[in-house]
Amino acid sequence: METATQENLKKLLDELGDRLNVVNRGLLDAEDYDLAKYDDLKMMYDIVVQKGRLSTSETQAFVEELATIRKK
């Protein structure tokens, strides 16, 4: 997932959704994210993977950050 492609973006968002236990998967539709923000999303993904288990407040913070990166 090192290369910024639409397919990798979808995989990354799907995996983030699983790790963050996102119920509303509409928030993670790859079409709603700009490929130019791929590096930001990849960095978030790497942090989530590295931390493993997140607290409720950490999870909420990541979901809020996803909302700010999402296309308006």
Side-chain angles (χ1 to χ4, degrees), residues 1 3-14 30 35 38:
M1 285 195 283
T3 307
T5 65
Q6 198 65 33
E7 182 179 324
N8 284 345
L9 179 62
K10 182 178 179 353
K11 287 179 189 176
L12 189 141
L13 289 169
D14 286 343
L35 206 52
Y38 185 82

Side-chain angles (χ1 to χ4, degrees), residues 31-71:
E31 298 297 319
D32 293 337
Y33 290 85
D34 189 346
L35 206 52
K37 298 287 188 173
Y38 185 82
D39 289 337
D40 294 337
L41 291 164
K42 178 70 166 80
M43 182 180 65
M44 287 178 60
Y45 170 80
D46 290 340
I47 292 169
V48 170
V49 169
Q50 181 181 11
K51 285 196 65 90
R53 186 172 286 264
L54 300 174
S55 69
T56 303
S57 61
E58 288 172 322
T59 300
Q60 183 62 34
F62 276 105
V63 171
E64 288 173 6
E65 185 62 24
L66 284 170
T68 63
I69 293 173
R70 194 172 177 218
K71 293 179 196 174

